[in-house]
Amino acid sequence: MNGDQAPNNPVVLFNPQRMRQVHRSVKGRHTRERLFRWFCVTVACSSVVLLVVILGAIVAQGMTRLTGTFLTAPPSPNVDEAGFFPPIMGSLWLLVLTAVFTLPLGVGAAIMLEEFKPRSRAIRATRSFIQTNITNLAGVPSVVYGIVGLTAFASMFGFFGNELSPTWEIGVTYYDQFYNEADRVLLVPVDGPQAPQSQGKSGMTALVDGQEVQVNVIGIDAPWPDDEEVAQRTLRQGDLPGRISESRRYYFRLPFGRSVLTGALTLMLVILPVVIIASQESLRAVPASLRDAALGLGATRWQVVWNVTLPAAIPGIMTGAILAMSRAIGEAAPLLMIAGIVFISNPPGNLMDDFTAMPLQTYNWAQRPQREFHDLAASSIIVLLTVLLCFNATAVLIRQKFQKPLS
């Protein structure tokens, strides 16, 4: 090749134009990175500021009504006497019962779906169908679960009578309640809620101040007895009673009716898909090498699950449970279908008692036009958030206590 001839493919050691393009590209990427970072910081700070403003406004409005009377008294039309105790206890009953029903069922379903995978094609198809439905149920509106709970638990599809006339009961006694002219209450035992009303008859057995007595019936125009002991157990002909019931701690019936048990089972349906999915993800996060090592040492599949997989997955399972219970405590739509906005002056005493919850009472106060009831609603929100934080803190402590390092 001639020395004066230029090479066909010359090597360019320095290209200023190319370097300027590279510099502009790198500078543009850095600029976009800074803008995105500032955007994320701005959105996060705005969210925090908005949350602080909302909570500050609620606290400033609600602290004026947050007194000892508010925490211990029942709701009342009188703003100064209105309290929040029955809704607090109703929500605590709901939370405890929902956790008792949901966590074992949800974790057990997740273990069955993840750790005991079937080999048969038909069973695998069934498992895939169940998994798809669990995923879909997690996005169903909660009010739909309220309708399901009202039909399946409150009335049990009409298979066991109705709410006013249950098919089977235990732990309850029904009375016909009479008031006489001596300001005494006479309770006449009856067979059930649909039994005919008692007619005043002489010699009929009744309870007066817890003591069995023989009822003395006199005519409408007859003079009232002067003897105090006789007057206490005297009724006039034509007196009409009212039907009441006295239930014990172990009271149970079929169907459940609009009871706190029905509310807890309905909330179980709401959060069960969330618990199952969160538990499945936690079980998948456990390294397969731990299972293989345990199986190699001769452990059975259940021993691997109970001693290796489940302890390692507990932190994630508890995190999912905390989020699910946080959703349950604030649900109002399904409980509105079950309990409605009713005046409840006493907290639940057994599983079959009527109930109200904190979101329902808060909604009741917030929808009223008077400003004083809006202050009560703000106070109830403070109590609701406090109960939620305490419940979540307890769950976090349980998670930390049972957390074990993967080894």
Side-chain angles (χ1 to χ4, degrees), residues 18-266:
R18 177 62 179 170
M19 292 299 295
R20 284 194 296 271
Q21 292 177 351
V22 172
H23 177 71
R24 285 196 298 269
S25 177
V26 172
K27 185 177 180 180
R29 290 198 298 269
H30 284 297
T31 301
R32 288 192 295 271
E33 180 184 359
R34 286 194 298 270
L35 290 176
F36 180 74
R37 185 168 60 248
W38 279 109
F39 173 76
C40 294
V41 172
T42 302
V43 171
C45 293
S46 301
S47 302
V48 173
V49 170
L50 182 62
L51 178 62
V52 171
V53 171
I54 294 175
L55 292 179
I58 292 174
V59 171
Q61 184 178 0
M63 288 302 295
T64 57
R65 297 286 178 178
L66 195 60
T67 61
T69 302
F70 179 80
L71 297 176
T72 57
S76 172
N78 187 349
V79 176
D80 296 329
E81 299 177 358
F84 204 51
F85 183 69
I88 293 175
M89 296 305 299
S91 290
L92 291 179
W93 271 77
L94 288 173
L95 283 178
V96 173
L97 291 175
T98 303
V100 169
F101 294 142
T102 306
L103 296 184
L105 187 59
V107 176
I111 291 174
M112 187 65 190
L113 292 172
E114 290 298 323
E115 300 297 326
F116 296 92
K117 296 182 179 180
R119 300 179 181 178
S120 170
R121 179 178 299 178
I123 299 180
R124 285 201 303 269
T126 303
R127 177 185 177 275
S128 177
F129 175 77
I130 294 174
Q131 184 68 60
T132 303
N133 280 275
I134 290 174
T135 305
N136 293 334
L137 288 173
V140 173
S142 58
V143 68
V144 177
Y145 289 108
I147 299 174
V148 174
L150 187 64
T151 305
F153 302 129
S155 60
M156 291 188 175
F157 306 100
F159 292 153
F160 298 94
N162 54 56
E163 300 177 24
L164 299 178
S165 181
T167 301
W168 180 79
E169 291 180 299
I170 186 174
V172 62
T173 304
Y174 291 93
Y175 298 97
D176 277 348
Q177 180 177 258
F178 292 89
Y179 282 97
N180 65 11
E181 297 180 18
D183 292 332
R184 289 293 181 176
V185 177
L186 284 76
L187 300 178
V188 179
V190 294
D191 295 333
Q194 300 300 322
Q197 282 189 340
S198 301
Q199 301 295 328
K201 297 179 180 179
S202 296
M204 181 175 59
T205 302
L207 296 177
V208 178
D209 296 335
Q211 302 292 327
E212 288 191 0
V213 297
Q214 299 296 321
V215 177
N216 177 42
V217 180
I218 61 177
I220 298 177
D221 299 328
W224 192 256
D226 295 329
D227 189 340
E228 182 179 353
E229 189 274 332
V230 177
Q232 291 180 0
R233 55 185 178 88
T234 298
L235 295 175
R236 290 191 182 275
Q237 292 179 354
D239 287 347
L240 296 178
R243 185 64 50 85
I244 65 170
S245 63
E246 180 182 348
S247 58
R248 298 165 184 82
R249 292 287 184 180
Y250 58 89
Y251 174 44
F252 196 80
R253 70 182 181 188
L254 293 177
F256 299 148
R258 299 173 182 266
S259 62
V260 65
L261 178 60
T262 298
L265 292 175
T266 303

Side-chain angles (χ1 to χ4, degrees), residues 222-377:
W224 192 256
D226 295 329
D227 189 340
E228 182 179 353
E229 189 274 332
V230 177
Q232 291 180 0
R233 55 185 178 88
T234 298
L235 295 175
R236 290 191 182 275
Q237 292 179 354
D239 287 347
L240 296 178
R243 185 64 50 85
I244 65 170
S245 63
E246 180 182 348
S247 58
R248 298 165 184 82
R249 292 287 184 180
Y250 58 89
Y251 174 44
F252 196 80
R253 70 182 181 188
L254 293 177
F256 299 148
R258 299 173 182 266
S259 62
V260 65
L261 178 60
T262 298
L265 292 175
T266 303
L267 290 181
M268 178 197 70
L269 296 180
V270 174
I271 68 173
L272 184 59
V274 178
V275 174
I276 293 177
I277 293 174
S279 301
Q280 285 184 277
E281 295 297 332
S282 301
L283 292 171
R284 290 174 191 157
V286 178
S289 58
L290 294 180
R291 300 181 179 88
D292 296 338
L295 292 173
L297 293 174
T300 63
R301 175 63 66 179
W302 172 246
Q303 288 175 329
V304 173
V305 171
W306 184 254
N307 297 299
V308 178
T309 309
L310 189 58
I314 278 183
I317 292 174
M318 292 302 299
T319 300
I322 292 171
L323 295 176
M325 297 307 298
S326 300
R327 177 186 178 185
I329 193 176
E331 284 289 352
L335 298 181
L336 189 62
M337 299 294 297
I338 301 299
I341 301 298
V342 295
F343 180 79
I344 302 293
S345 59
N346 295 310
N350 54 61
L351 296 177
M352 299 293 107
D353 269 355
D354 295 334
F355 73 100
T356 186
M358 289 187 282
L360 297 182
Q361 189 61 51
T362 301
Y363 173 74
N364 186 11
W365 284 332
Q367 70 176 350
R368 298 192 180 188
Q370 295 86 353
R371 174 60 184 272
E372 292 80 5
F373 286 104
H374 296 173
D375 296 340
L376 290 176

